[in-house]
Amino acid sequence: MNGNKPAAYAAVTTIDLIRHGEPEGGRLFRGWRDDPLSSMGWDQMRNATSGLAAWDYIISSPLQRCAQFAEALSNSTGIDWVTDARLKEIGFGEWEGKSPEILYRESPQRVGDFWNNPVDCPPPGGEPMRQFQSRVLAAWQEIQSAHAGQHLLIVGHGGVNRLIIGKVLGIPLQHLFRLELPYAGVSRIRIEQASPRLVFHCGSLR
């Protein structure tokens, strides 16, 4: 019997998830609102990835707070990149562009209900949580299939990256926002034999 394992058996896929840095305009409910990174946001992203070029491919949300950095990183490293519209943040409807402080003053119960159970208590006019889940996880499955055995970087959003991590860990959708994820926060997922594992969360790539 040949003891050599097939290449597919030995393939390990590593996927790094990085949240965008601070956007211009400060702390807001910012889903589909397309603000660019602030100067601090650029610094946060550069510091998180400085000196690293181990990725085979970069995949980004199309929103400019992600895509502009992904493009700059691609230009500086020579790593190919692409956007995937399914990786954009959840839409916050009537809450888009409003500060949490103002909304807490105006509708404390409604905002609190959203953070505690975003499935049953979405923002008015916002994207349903299960619709958000469906599009992000469809992209996630395709990315794993198309890039098996590679080391990828996904430049995404707090909601998107939490959703992927939640899928890996089996976290109920209602509890997704219990995961802390700061600007430029990085998590790593390793997939071997179709079994994904969270290697680290909010850790360092170094």
Side-chain angles (χ1 to χ4, degrees):
M1 179 177 177
N2 190 338
N4 294 330
K5 297 176 182 178
Y9 183 92
V12 176
T13 306
T14 301
I15 302 178
D16 295 328
L17 309 172
I18 185 168
R19 185 187 179 191
H20 61 78
E22 177 196 75
E24 289 185 0
R27 187 164 174 259
L28 303 173
F29 276 95
R30 187 182 283 103
W32 296 350
R33 179 183 168 108
D34 199 11
D35 293 329
L37 291 174
S38 67
S39 58
M40 178 179 291
W42 277 100
D43 287 343
Q44 290 168 336
M45 296 297 279
R46 292 187 186 108
N47 289 339
T49 59
S50 177
L52 301 169
W55 302 289
D56 298 302
Y57 204 57
I58 301 168
I59 304 172
S60 174
S61 158
L63 297 177
Q64 58 181 331
R65 59 190 183 271
C66 296
Q68 287 183 345
F69 176 76
E71 181 178 24
L73 183 62
S74 172
N75 290 339
S76 66
T77 61
I79 301 170
D80 289 338
W81 79 292
V82 70
T83 61
D84 188 323
R86 296 170 297 180
L87 296 177
K88 71 178 181 178
E89 183 62 289
I90 190 170
F92 286 113
E94 294 177 18
W95 292 358
E96 289 279 349
K98 295 186 177 181
S99 74
E101 291 78 13
I102 290 175
L103 284 174
Y104 270 119
R105 287 200 300 268
E106 293 176 348
S107 307
Q109 184 66 47
R110 189 154 197 176
V111 176
D113 288 346
F114 168 73
W115 290 125
N116 289 324
N117 185 359
V119 176
D120 297 325
C121 306
E127 181 181 17
M129 196 70 178
R130 295 202 184 279
Q131 180 177 308
F132 173 57
Q133 178 189 46
S134 178
R135 66 171 168 85
V136 172
L137 294 186
W140 173 241
Q141 291 302 319
E142 287 185 24
I143 287 168
Q144 293 177 70
S145 297
H147 299 280
Q150 294 185 327
H151 187 177
L152 309 178
L153 176 67
I154 293 179
V155 185
H157 303 271
V160 171
N161 293 0
R162 285 184 179 98
L163 192 54
I164 292 171
I165 294 166
K167 172 66 174 177
V168 170
L169 298 181
I171 297 172
L173 197 56
Q174 291 89 339
H175 300 164
L176 205 61
F177 291 114
R178 295 181 183 182
L179 277 171
E180 181 70 18
L181 187 51
Y183 289 137
V186 180
S187 304
R188 173 169 289 173
I189 294 167
R190 184 170 295 138
I191 304 157
E192 189 170 6
Q193 291 301 290
S195 177
R197 292 176 295 161
L198 182 66
V199 179
F200 62 75
H201 175 62
C202 294
S204 171
L205 290 169
R206 292 169 179 78

